[in-house]
Amino acid sequence: MTQPDEGTYRGDPPPNDAGPMAAPGYGPPPGYGPPPGYGPPPGYGPPPGYGPPPGWGSAPGYGPPGWAPAGYRPPTNTLAIVALALCFAFAPAGLVTGLIARRQISRTGEAGDGLAVAAIIIGGIATTLFALGLVIWLVAVASITSGSFGP
């Protein structure tokens, strides 16, 4: 009932010389071989004057790299964003944080100077209007209490 085990595990597939995915009895079509390797087009070589770089340093004809690579933008100052948001919620705080953010931006070189300036302008106008309204209200209350409405 059982045949002798030839030292192989019974779950292994039978050996196939053509590869695991090839159908038995079929080979590649005649006239076809492996695809050619990819390289430069025939008749073209490297451009003249461009060889391997000579050791460490910059390429000949070019200076040292600049401060930042192309496309780099410095991060936006977070306090400038907060100042712009605060100038709509509580204008004096937006004005003060805008001034602090502007000083930080000039010291660190971060982006966001326009946000800080907008917060300073909006916060200053809103604070001025609030102070002017408070003065008008106090004058109105003072004139009402000193008038003839009392006993």
Side-chain angles (χ1 to χ4, degrees):
M1 292 231 247
T2 61
Q3 296 184 359
D5 190 8
E6 297 177 4
T8 60
Y9 176 66
R10 292 185 189 259
D12 289 343
N16 187 354
D17 294 336
M21 300 302 287
Y26 295 104
Y32 291 99
Y38 294 102
Y44 293 100
Y50 290 98
W56 296 96
S58 59
Y62 296 99
W67 178 74
Y72 173 78
R73 290 180 22 181
T76 304
N77 187 295
T78 307
L79 198 60
I81 298 170
V82 170
L84 189 61
L86 274 178
C87 73
F88 292 109
F90 186 62
L95 174 64
V96 171
T97 53
L99 291 169
I100 295 170
R102 188 96 193 269
R103 187 176 48 173
Q104 281 183 0
I105 289 168
S106 67
R107 192 175 60 238
T108 62
E110 292 177 311
D113 190 51
L115 295 174
V117 169
I120 291 169
I121 292 171
I122 295 170
I125 291 172
T127 302
T128 303
L129 291 176
F130 178 75
L132 187 64
L134 184 63
V135 168
I136 291 173
W137 182 76
L138 288 175
V139 168
V141 168
S143 68
I144 289 174
T145 57
S146 64
S148 62
F149 293 113

